C-alpha cells in the first residue's frame, strides 16, 4: 500500500506527486514555525467568522482536502492526459479498497450521499432482471412488480429514499421483521423472510433485492449474512450489505457473520468517518460482468469529473498506508471492547450487544430491577405487578437514561456518545468509536473517564428512582396538591397546587395559579437545599407546575411535600388578603367620607347659623366660646372597620386593635443539626457518625426536642380553656403585684403635668 509517488511511471502523476510533496513540506514548515512562535500546537482555525468552529483535522485531513483543490487543477489538463490520469486514479483506488476489505474482483462507485450507491445498485438489478425495461419502461414493472426487502432495523427513511429515486410505489417495499423469540431482536428473521418471498412469488411479484445489515444503524447488530446469501441464490435475489461492522474486514480476525459479506453482490463502505477523513466520498463495491448495464444504471461514467471523485481518497490511502488504516480501525474496536468490559463490572448498567464481541458499537442503559423480577433477565416484571406500574417504571428509566446521556456528552465530549430511543429497549446511550474516534481523537483514558463518570452518576439515578413512588404517594395523600405524571422529567416528580378557584377539569392557563406557583418557586429556591426546583410546563397554554429535580442523598419526602403544601397555602392566603384589601379600603374611605359629612352637618346644627357669619360669629365666639370635640375616623386594616379617633384624643393612646392571626405553619416541625440542609433525613442512628461525635449530636438533638416540647406545653397551659384568658398565672400575679408596689412610690413624687384640652 505504501506506493511512493515518485516511482509512478506516468509523467503527470510523477509531477503531481512532486508538487504534493512540496505542498506538504510547506504545511509542515508553517506548522513548525507557528509552534515555535506561539509555543503551542496549531489549532487549525481560520480567521474570520469561522474562527474557533473548525476542528483540528490533522495531516491526513489536509491531504483529503488538498485532493479537492488538486482535482480542480487536474481538470484543466488536455483531454487525453486527463483521461489517462483519471482512469489510473480510479483503477488504483478500486484495487486498493477491494484488497483491504477482501472483496475480490469488484468494481467501485464513488458517491457523496451514502444512500446513492444503493439506489444505483437497485437500478442495475432492475435492468438485469427486466430485459425489456429499456424498451417498454414501467409497463414491464406493472405486469410484474419488483419487491425490495428491507430489515425493520434498517436506518430510517431508506425505503422512502429508494422509492423516490427509482419512481416506485411504496407497496414495492417489504419490511422484514426482526427476531422475536430467538436470537437478537435487531437481526432479520430469516424464516419469516423466506415466507414473505414465497408469498410474493405466488402473487406474481418479482423478488428483486435484499438489503442486509453488517452492523445496524441503531445498535450495531449483524444479520445472518451467510444464511441470507443462500436464500438469495435460491430465489435469484440481489444481496446488498451495509453497516459499520464492514470496517472490521480490514483486520486480521473477522467474525464469520461479517466475513460472509465478502460473498455478497454489493456493499457500501464509508471510509471517511472510519479513518477520520473529511470530505471523502462513500464507496459502493459491486460485482457485475456487463459494462453496458452498469453504464445505464449510472455506476460507471465516461466523464473525467466523475472519476476525479476518488482523488481525495486516493491521496489519503497512500498517505496512511495499509498499516495506518488497520491501526485506526483496530484502535476503534479496542476502545469499544474496553468500554464493554468495564461496563460489565458496573451495577445497574445493561449492555445490549453482549453477544457481538467483534462489534465496534456499545449500547448501554441504566436499569433498576423491579420487585420480583428475574435478576438474570433484568427486565421481566412480577406477575402481580400492574401493567401501568411497569409502564411508569419504563418511562422513568427512559427519562433518567436521557439525562445520563446528556450528562456524559457534556462531561466527556471526545467520547462521541449519542442518545437514541429504541422501540423495545427504550432510551439508550450508544458509543460508536469507529465513526467518531478518528475525528475526535478518543483515547483509552477517555473511556476510563467515561466509566468513572457513569459510576459517579449512578447514586443519583438510583436514589431518584427510589424516591419517585414515595413522592407520588405522599402528594396523593396531601390535600391541595396534585401529582402530575411527566414521563420526560428525570427528577423526583412534578406537583401542582390546586387553589380554591382552580378548575380541576381544565388544563388551560390559569393566571392566579401561575402567580402562586411563581411565588412558591421563589420560596423553595430560597431554602438553599440540595434539590433543584423549576416551574413549567414549556407550553404556555397549560397550567403551571413545580418540577423537582434529582436527589443525590436520602430525602425526607414527607417534609418536602408538607413544605410545598404549607408554603403554597400561605402564598394563596396572602394573595387573597391583598386582593380583598383594595375593596375593603375603598369601601372604608367611602364610609368615612359619609360619616365626616354627617359630622359636619351635626356640628352646624349644634353651633347655629349665627356662628357661621364672619363678623357676628367671631363676636359670638368671643362672648360664648364653643368647646369643640375632636371627632375623626381611623381605619383598622386588621378588623376591616372604621373606628372613632375620640379615644386617641381623650386618652392620648392609640388603640392597637385586634391582634392579627399567626401565619399558619406545618404540623410537623423538624429539628436539624447546625449546618444541616432542608429536606435531609435525621442522622440519628446513621452509621456515618463516629462513636464520639454521634453521642454529642444525639444529646444536643434530645435537648432541643425537650426544650421545644416544654415550650409547647407552656403555650398549651397558657391558652387552656380552664383558666380565664385575662387572669395571670399565680407566679406572674405575684411578680406583677410586687412590681406595681415598687413602681408606685416614685410615681407619687413626680409632678403632674396638665395636658391641654384642645389638640389640633
Amino acid at each position: 500500500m505504501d506506493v511512493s509517488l515518485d516511482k509512478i511511471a506516468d509523467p503527470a502523476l510523477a509531477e503531481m506527486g512532486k508538487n504534493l510533496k512540496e505542498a506538504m513540506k510547506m504545511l509542515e514548515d508553517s506548522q513548525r514555525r507557528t509552534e515555535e512562535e506561539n509555543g503551542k500546537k496549531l489549532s487549525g482555525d481560520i480567521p474570520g467568522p469561522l474562527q474557533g468552529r473548525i476542528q483540528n483535522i490533522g495531516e491526513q485531513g489536509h491531504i483529503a482536502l488538498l485532493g479537492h483543490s488538486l482535482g480542480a487543477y487536474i481538470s484543466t489538463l488536455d483531454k487525453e492526459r486527463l483521461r489517462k490520469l483519471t482512469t489510473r486514479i480510479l483503477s488504483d483506488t478500486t484495487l486498493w479498497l477491494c484488497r483491504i476489505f477482501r472483496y475480490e474482483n469488484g468494481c467501485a462507485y464513488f458517491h457523496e450521499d451514502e444512500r446513492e450507491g444503493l439506489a444505483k445498485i437497485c437500478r442495475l438489478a432492475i435492468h438485469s432482471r427486466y430485459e425489456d425495461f429499456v424498451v417498454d419502461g414501467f409497463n414491464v414493472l406493472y405486469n410484474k412488480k419488483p419487491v425490495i426487502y428491507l430489515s425493520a432495523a434498517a436506518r430510517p427513511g431508506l425505503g422512502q429514499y429508494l422509492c423516490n429515486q427509482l419512481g416506485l410505489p411504496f407497496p414495492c417495499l417489504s419490511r422484514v421483521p426482526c427476531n422475536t423469540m430467538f436470537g437478537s431482536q435487531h437481526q432479520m428473521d430469516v424464516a419469516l423472510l423466506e415466507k414473505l418471498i414465497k408469498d410474493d412469488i405466488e402473487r406474481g411479484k418479482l423478488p428483486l433485492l435484499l438489503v442486509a445489515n453488517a452492523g445496524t444503524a441503531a445498535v450495531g447488530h449483524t444479520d445472518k449474512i451467510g444464511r441470507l446469501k443462500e436464500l438469495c441464490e435460491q430465489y435469484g435475489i440481489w444481496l446488498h450489505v451495509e453497516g459499520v461492522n464492514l470496517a472490521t474486514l480490514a483486520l486480521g480476525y473477522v467474525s464469520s457473520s461479517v466475513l460472509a459479506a465478502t460473498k455478497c453482490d454489493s456493499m457500501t463502505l464509508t471510509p471517511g468517518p472510519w479513518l477520520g477523513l473529511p470530505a471523502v466520498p462513500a464507496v459502493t463495491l459491486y460485482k457485475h460482468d456487463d459494462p453496458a448495464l452498469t453504464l445505464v444504471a449510472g455506476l460507471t461514467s465516461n466523464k473525467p469529473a466523475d472519476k476525479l471523485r476518488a482523488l481525495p481518497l486516493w491521496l489519503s490511502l497512500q498517505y496512511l498506508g495499509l498499516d495506518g488504516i488497520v491501526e485506526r480501525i483496530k484502535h476503534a474496536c479496542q476502545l469499544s471492547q474496553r468500554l464493554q468490559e468495564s461496563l460489565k463490572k458496573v451495577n445497574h448498567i445493561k449492555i445490549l450487544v453482549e453477544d457481538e464481541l467483534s462489534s465496534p458499537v456499545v449500547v448501554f442503559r441504566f436499569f433498576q430491577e423491579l420487585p420480583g423480577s428475574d435478576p438474570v433477565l433484568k427486565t421481566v416484571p412480577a406477575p402481580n405487578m400492574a401493567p401501568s406500574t411497569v409502564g411508569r417504571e419504563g418511562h422513568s428509566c427512559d427519562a433518567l437514561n436521557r439525562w445520563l446521556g446528556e450528562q456524559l456528552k457534556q462531561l466527556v465530549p471526545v467520547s462521541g456518545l449519542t442518545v437514541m430511543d429504541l422501540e423495545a429497549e427504550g432510551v439508550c446511550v450508544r458509543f460508536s468509536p469507529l465513526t467518531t474516534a478518528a475525528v475526535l481523537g478518543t483515547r483509552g483514558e477517555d473511556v476510563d473517564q467515561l466509566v468513572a463518570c457513569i459510576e459517579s452518576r449512578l447514586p443519583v439515578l438510583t436514589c431518584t428512582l427510589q424516591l419517585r413512588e414515595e413522592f407520588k404517594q405522599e402528594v396523593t395523600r396531601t390535600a391541595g396538591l396534585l401529582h402530575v405524571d411527566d414521563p420526560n422529567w428525570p427528577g423526583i416528580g412534578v406537583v401542582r397546587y390546586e387553589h380554591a378557584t382552580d378548575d380541576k377539569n381544565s388544563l388551560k392557563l390559569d393566571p392566579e395559579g401561575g402567580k402562586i406557583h411563581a411565588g412558591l418557586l421563589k420560596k423553595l429556591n430560597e431554602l438553599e437545599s440540595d434539590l433543584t426546583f423549576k416551574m413549567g410546563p414549556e407550553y404556555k397554554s397549560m397550567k403551571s407546575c413545580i418540577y423537582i429535580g434529582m436527589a443525590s442523598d436520602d430525602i425526607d419526602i414527607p417534609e418536602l411535600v408538607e413544605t410545598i403544601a404549607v408554603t403554597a397555602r400561605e402564598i394563596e392566603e396572602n394573595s387573597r388578603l391583598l386582593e380583598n384589601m383594595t375593596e375593603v379600603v375603598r369601601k372604608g374611605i367611602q364610609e368615612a367620607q359619609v360619616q365626616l359629612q354627617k359630622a359636619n352637618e351635626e356640628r352646624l346644627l349644634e353651633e347655629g347659623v349665627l356662628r357661621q357669619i364672619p363678623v357676628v360669629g367671631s363676636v359670638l365666639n368671643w362672648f360664648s366660646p364653643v368647646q369643640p370635640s375632636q371627632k375623626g375616623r381611623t381605619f383598622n386594616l386588621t378588623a376591616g372597620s372604621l373606628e372613632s379617633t375620640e379615644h386617641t384624643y381623650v386618652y392620648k393612646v392609640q388603640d392597637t386593635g385586634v391582634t392579627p392571626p399567626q401565619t399558619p405553619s406545618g404540623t410537623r416541625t423538624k429539628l436539624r443539626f447546625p449546618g444541616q440542609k432542608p429536606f435531609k433525613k435525621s442522622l440519628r442512628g446513621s452509621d456515618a457518625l463516629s462513636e464520639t461525635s454521634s453521642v454529642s449530636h444525639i444529646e444536643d438533638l434530645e435537648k432541643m426536642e425537650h426544650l421545644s416540647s416544654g415550650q409547647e406545653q407552656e403555650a398549651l397551659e397558657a391558652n387552656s380553656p380552664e383558666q380565664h384568658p385575662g387572669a395571670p398565672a399565680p407566679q406572674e400575679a405575684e411578680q406583677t403585684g410586687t412590681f406595681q408596689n415598687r413602681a408606685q412610690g416614685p410615681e407619687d413624687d413626680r409632678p403632674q403635668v396638665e395636658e391641654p384640652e384642645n389638640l389640633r
Side-chain angles (χ1 to χ4, degrees):
M1 181 56 59
D2 280 327
V3 181
S4 180
L5 292 177
D6 8 351
K7 295 181 180 179
I8 300 177
D10 196 304
L13 288 178
E15 183 181 359
M16 183 178 65
K18 181 180 178 181
N19 296 334
L20 182 60
K21 279 192 172 182
E22 293 178 357
M24 286 303 303
K25 185 177 180 181
M26 293 173 60
L27 285 174
E28 293 174 357
D29 294 342
S30 176
Q31 181 176 358
R32 191 178 301 109
R33 286 195 304 269
T34 306
E35 291 178 359
E36 292 175 356
E37 293 175 1
N38 301 336
K40 59 181 181 180
K41 188 176 180 179
L42 184 65
S43 62
D45 295 340
I46 60 177
L50 295 179
Q51 186 173 6
R53 302 181 183 181
I54 304 299
Q55 58 185 356
N56 187 12
I57 56 178
E59 293 183 0
Q60 73 280 359
H62 286 291
I63 287 288
L65 296 177
L66 188 61
H68 292 273
S69 302
L70 197 58
Y73 170 75
I74 294 176
S75 62
T76 59
L77 299 175
D78 58 274
K79 293 184 179 180
E80 185 62 23
R81 180 173 291 184
L82 179 61
R83 184 186 63 81
K84 293 181 178 179
L85 183 60
T86 54
T87 303
R88 177 67 180 274
I89 292 174
L90 181 62
S91 61
D92 288 349
T93 309
T94 302
L95 178 62
W96 296 338
L97 290 173
C98 290
R99 288 181 178 179
I100 293 174
F101 296 101
R102 308 185 185 191
Y103 196 77
E104 299 178 357
N105 302 324
C107 303
Y109 172 67
F110 300 88
H111 46 91
E112 301 297 332
D113 193 344
E114 296 180 7
R115 304 170 297 179
E116 184 181 352
L118 179 57
K120 302 292 186 182
I121 291 296
C122 290
R123 292 183 185 274
L124 178 61
I126 291 176
H127 284 282
S128 301
R129 297 298 301 274
Y130 295 91
E131 298 179 356
D132 299 333
F133 180 74
V134 179
V135 180
D136 298 335
F138 285 96
N139 291 328
V140 180
L141 303 181
Y142 179 77
N143 297 328
K144 199 171 187 179
K145 296 180 181 179
V147 182
I148 300 175
Y149 299 93
L150 296 176
S151 172
R155 49 179 155 172
L158 180 60
Q160 184 178 2
Y161 173 82
L162 294 177
C163 290
N164 293 336
Q165 294 295 320
L166 301 174
L168 297 176
F170 289 120
C172 292
L173 294 177
S174 179
R175 188 166 296 274
V176 183
C178 295
N179 296 327
T180 55
M181 299 298 295
F182 304 100
S184 171
Q185 297 182 356
H186 299 272
Q187 287 181 346
M188 189 182 302
D189 193 336
V190 181
L192 189 55
L193 171 63
E194 186 175 5
K195 183 177 182 303
L196 292 175
I197 293 174
K198 292 179 179 179
D199 293 343
D200 290 334
I201 294 176
E202 292 178 358
R203 295 190 184 99
K205 298 181 180 180
L206 178 64
L208 181 67
L209 184 138
L210 171 63
V211 181
N213 292 305
T216 56
V219 298
H221 284 201
T222 302
D223 293 328
K224 299 176 182 178
I225 300 178
R227 180 72 181 90
L228 294 177
K229 178 59 179 176
E230 297 175 359
L231 198 63
C232 291
E233 291 179 350
Q234 180 180 353
Y235 294 97
I237 303 175
W238 186 288
L239 178 60
H240 179 83
V241 182
E242 61 179 15
V244 68
N245 291 353
L246 292 175
T248 59
L249 290 172
L251 303 178
Y253 170 77
V254 188
S255 63
S256 58
S257 58
V258 179
L259 188 60
T262 58
K263 305 299 181 181
C264 65
D265 298 307
S266 60
M267 66 169 63
T268 298
L269 309 175
T270 55
W274 299 347
L275 305 177
L277 304 175
V280 168
V283 185
T284 296
L285 302 179
Y286 63 94
K287 297 177 181 179
H288 201 269
D289 300 331
D290 193 345
L293 292 181
T294 57
L295 182 62
V296 172
L299 291 170
T300 56
S301 174
N302 296 325
K303 298 179 180 178
D306 295 337
K307 297 180 180 180
L308 283 176
R309 291 179 183 174
L311 181 58
L313 189 57
W314 183 80
L315 294 175
S316 301
L317 292 179
Q318 291 194 91
Y319 176 81
L320 292 174
L322 179 60
D323 295 337
I325 295 172
V326 173
E327 181 61 30
R328 287 174 179 263
I329 298 176
K330 184 178 180 181
H331 173 68
C333 295
Q334 289 176 349
L335 291 177
S336 62
Q337 294 300 318
R338 186 171 185 170
L339 178 62
Q340 183 171 339
E341 293 298 328
S342 300
L343 290 180
K344 287 181 180 180
K345 305 175 184 178
V346 181
N347 295 328
H348 304 292
I349 293 295
K350 178 184 178 183
I351 305 176
L352 304 182
V353 204
E354 293 183 357
D355 56 335
E356 304 248 348
L357 299 177
S358 61
S359 175
V361 180
V362 180
V363 181
F364 61 92
R365 73 189 306 264
F366 165 77
F367 78 98
Q368 184 79 15
E369 291 186 7
L370 300 175
S373 62
D374 190 350
V376 177
L377 298 177
K378 300 180 181 180
T379 54
V380 180
N384 55 352
M385 182 172 293
S388 58
T389 305
V390 179
R392 287 197 304 269
E393 292 291 340
H395 288 309
S396 301
C397 289
D398 287 346
L400 295 177
N401 279 283
R402 190 177 291 107
W403 175 85
L404 176 62
E406 296 298 333
Q407 288 287 314
L408 296 177
K409 287 168 61 177
Q410 295 177 5
L411 296 173
V412 193
V414 295
S415 61
L417 296 177
T418 55
V419 181
M420 56 183 181
D421 192 355
L422 301 179
E423 183 178 357
E425 291 82 2
V427 178
C428 302
V429 183
R430 179 178 61 187
F431 177 67
S432 181
L434 196 53
T435 58
T436 59
V439 179
L440 300 177
T442 311
R443 300 173 302 173
E445 294 78 5
D446 301 323
V447 175
D448 297 338
Q449 182 185 359
L450 179 62
V451 176
C453 293
I454 294 174
E455 293 177 344
S456 64
R457 294 300 185 273
L458 284 180
V460 180
L461 296 172
T462 54
C463 184
T464 302
L465 193 58
Q466 291 173 359
L467 294 175
R468 279 194 167 211
E469 189 63 28
E470 182 183 357
F471 176 79
K472 181 178 181 180
Q473 295 177 1
E474 191 68 27
V475 170
T476 305
R477 290 193 296 262
T478 305
L481 296 183
L482 177 66
H483 185 268
V484 180
D485 289 327
D486 190 349
N488 297 323
W489 178 247
I492 295 178
V494 186
V495 63
R496 182 169 68 232
Y497 177 72
E498 295 181 331
H499 54 90
T501 59
D502 188 9
D503 186 6
K504 300 178 178 57
N505 297 326
S506 176
L507 294 177
K508 293 183 179 180
L509 182 64
D510 183 15
E512 182 178 355
K515 294 179 181 179
I516 295 176
H517 285 88
L520 177 60
L521 178 64
K522 183 179 179 182
K523 292 287 185 181
L524 292 175
N525 289 329
E526 290 175 355
L527 296 177
E528 297 182 356
S529 65
D530 291 337
L531 294 175
T532 57
F533 302 92
K534 62 174 291 188
M535 192 174 72
E538 298 179 357
Y539 302 100
K540 296 183 178 180
S541 60
M542 306 292 286
K543 288 184 177 180
S544 300
C545 303
I546 295 296
Y547 287 75
I548 304 171
M550 309 186 74
S552 59
D553 200 355
D554 202 3
I555 301 297
D556 192 347
I557 294 297
E559 181 190 0
L560 171 63
V561 175
E562 183 181 1
T563 303
I564 295 175
V566 171
T567 308
R569 197 176 300 116
E570 292 176 2
I571 295 173
E572 181 186 8
E573 292 176 357
N574 293 336
S575 62
R576 192 181 305 165
L577 178 62
L578 292 176
E579 292 175 358
N580 297 335
M581 188 177 295
T582 305
E583 184 67 19
V584 172
V585 171
R586 186 182 63 82
K587 292 182 179 179
I589 293 175
Q590 293 178 356
E591 184 180 354
Q593 290 178 350
V594 173
Q595 292 185 9
L596 290 176
Q597 184 178 0
K598 185 178 180 181
N600 290 332
E601 294 176 356
E602 292 177 355
R603 185 175 60 83
L604 290 176
L605 294 176
E606 181 181 353
E607 295 177 356
V609 181
L610 293 178
R611 294 183 183 273
Q612 309 304 322
I613 301 175
V615 179
V616 178
S618 299
V619 175
L620 188 59
N621 289 333
W622 183 74
F623 283 103
S624 177
V626 179
Q627 299 295 333
S629 61
Q630 299 295 331
K631 293 182 179 181
R633 297 293 183 271
T634 179
F635 185 73
N636 193 337
L637 291 177
T638 305
S641 60
L642 282 175
E643 299 176 358
S644 176
T645 59
E646 184 177 358
H647 184 275
T648 303
Y649 290 106
V650 172
Y651 298 101
K652 310 301 185 295
V653 177
Q654 187 174 0
D655 192 7
T656 57
V658 183
T659 304
Q662 295 183 355
T663 304
S665 60
T667 58
R668 299 174 68 252
T669 58
K670 180 180 177 180
L671 299 176
R672 302 185 182 90
F673 290 117
Q676 183 180 355
K677 293 187 177 182
F679 313 132
K680 291 288 186 180
K681 285 190 176 181
S682 176
L683 297 178
R684 177 179 296 186
S686 175
D687 297 336
L689 297 175
S690 63
E691 296 180 358
T692 56
S693 62
S694 60
V695 176
S696 60
H697 282 298
I698 293 176
E699 289 178 355
D700 294 342
L701 183 60
E702 290 177 351
K703 290 180 181 179
M704 296 172 63
E705 292 177 352
H706 180 68
L707 291 175
S708 63
S709 62
Q711 294 175 358
E712 293 177 358
Q713 184 67 23
E714 292 177 2
L716 291 175
E717 292 177 358
N719 297 329
S720 176
E722 297 178 359
Q723 188 177 1
H724 194 274
Q731 297 179 357
E732 293 179 357
E734 257 183 56
Q735 296 175 359
T736 306
T738 306
F739 178 77
Q740 289 178 355
N741 293 334
R742 293 177 181 175
Q744 282 178 0
E747 286 183 358
D748 296 338
D749 299 337
R750 293 178 185 176
Q752 299 292 332
V753 180
E754 186 176 350
E755 298 181 357
E757 295 179 355
N758 299 334
L759 294 176
R760 297 186 182 276

